[in-house]
Amino acid sequence: MSASPVLTSVQDGIGTITLNRPEARNALNQAMRPALAAAIAQMRDDAQVHAVILTGAGGAFCSGGDISAMLDTSRTGLAFRKGMRELHQWFPELVNLEKPVIAAVDGPAFGAGLSLALAADFVLATRRAKFCAVFGRIGLIPDLGAMHLLPRIVGQQKAKELVFTARTVDAEEAQQLGMVFDIVDDATALTEAALALARRFGEASTAAIGMAKTIMNQSFESDARTIAELESYAQSVCRGSDYHQDAVRRFKDKQPLRFDWDRK
């Protein structure tokens, strides 16, 4: 029996999704797509999960779409569009997952792998990580949300340059462009850094972070008034939460707050 193309685990409130086709540098094939969709739904629906790590097995994050599958010329036109629309059903669930998502990138994050990395809230990378909107090398356009996410992270002009040239960006440049949050030395340090970052959200209000994330994800498409209305509704919900009431009591009683990022 072949191994699952996507592995999931939950430990101490941290969910991990691992792309598991190391023999193909975790290229996104037909079997991986529904498995990844199911993994994202699992993390979304598990109330015990407060943060999610997305990573790849075997020294690669994701090398993009499985080019060998592209040799099948029967999947063109409407059939291919159907497959793309299926991707677009679950990918927004990752982008808008109301929990902090950390992409731990070692090796290539190319094509669809770049899109998956950009969907995370924080991208941690090893020094050998590489990023590339590689689509243009085979006469395609960026997909899986890349043309929406990339300009918002690096700016319109730089996004066009990366897409038009399909050139490879190393971890240092990716950090300068705002794609990478932090760089570590190797795969072992990457796992440790991702877990350490995820743990720091353990005492935070997952609901408050989730609503703040949802609103900020709309900020480029919405005007100030719409964002203000969303803010009003979300803040009203947060004010009535047990978490907030407990924090106010702690403050009044001069007790330490459960969540204080500055207190390591």
Side-chain angles (χ1 to χ4, degrees), residues 70 115 151 162:
M70 298 178 191
S115 301
L162 295 176

Side-chain angles (χ1 to χ4, degrees), residues 107-129:
F110 279 29
L114 173 65
S115 301
L116 288 172
L118 296 180
D121 302 300
F122 304 97
V123 178
L124 303 180
T126 63
R127 297 196 181 280
R128 72 187 201 97

Side-chain angles (χ1 to χ4, degrees), residues 77-236:
L78 291 176
F80 186 81
R81 179 175 182 267
K82 180 177 181 292
M84 289 297 303
R85 286 171 64 83
E86 289 171 354
L87 289 176
H88 295 155
Q89 289 174 8
W90 60 258
F91 185 71
E93 291 285 347
L94 175 61
V95 175
N96 298 308
L97 188 65
E98 288 201 337
K99 300 171 183 183
V101 177
I102 301 159
V105 178
D106 185 30
F110 279 29
L114 173 65
S115 301
L116 288 172
L118 296 180
D121 302 300
F122 304 97
V123 178
L124 303 180
T126 63
R127 297 196 181 280
R128 72 187 201 97
K130 303 290 183 183
F131 302 84
C132 183
V134 72
F135 308 89
R137 298 185 189 179
I138 56 172
L140 296 177
I141 65 167
D143 58 22
L144 200 60
M147 288 197 287
H148 180 80
L149 295 170
L150 187 61
R152 284 158 176 76
I153 294 171
V154 305
Q156 186 79 285
Q157 183 170 245
K158 179 54 69 172
K160 288 178 180 179
E161 185 255 324
L162 295 176
V163 169
F164 296 174
T165 64
R167 69 178 179 85
T168 301
V169 174
D170 63 22
E172 287 75 15
E173 183 181 359
Q175 186 176 38
Q176 293 169 3
L177 292 173
M179 290 194 289
V180 167
F181 179 68
D182 201 7
I183 300 173
V184 297
D185 288 332
D186 53 34
T188 299
L190 181 65
T191 300
E192 293 172 353
L195 287 170
L197 181 56
R199 288 190 196 103
R200 295 189 69 184
F201 293 107
E203 292 297 327
S205 168
T206 302
I209 287 176
M211 284 185 276
K213 175 177 176 176
T214 292
I215 294 171
M216 285 191 285
N217 280 0
Q218 300 301 315
S219 62
F220 284 94
E221 286 75 44
S222 305
D223 60 25
R225 180 169 181 171
T226 300
I227 294 297
E229 285 297 321
L230 292 172
E231 175 188 297
S232 298
Y233 288 121
Q235 196 72 303
S236 299

Side-chain angles (χ1 to χ4, degrees), residues 21-78:
R21 294 187 67 222
E23 73 284 356
R25 296 192 298 176
N26 303 316
L28 195 64
N29 68 352
Q30 293 299 315
M32 186 181 284
R33 295 179 181 194
L36 188 51
I40 294 166
Q42 175 190 341
M43 299 304 166
R44 179 197 64 204
D45 297 338
D46 190 337
Q48 302 304 311
V49 172
H50 66 254
V52 177
I53 297 171
L54 176 63
T55 193
F61 182 72
C62 175
S63 59
D66 192 340
I67 295 181
S68 62
M70 298 178 191
L71 296 174
D72 180 7
T73 57
S74 66
R75 292 186 70 252
T76 58
L78 291 176

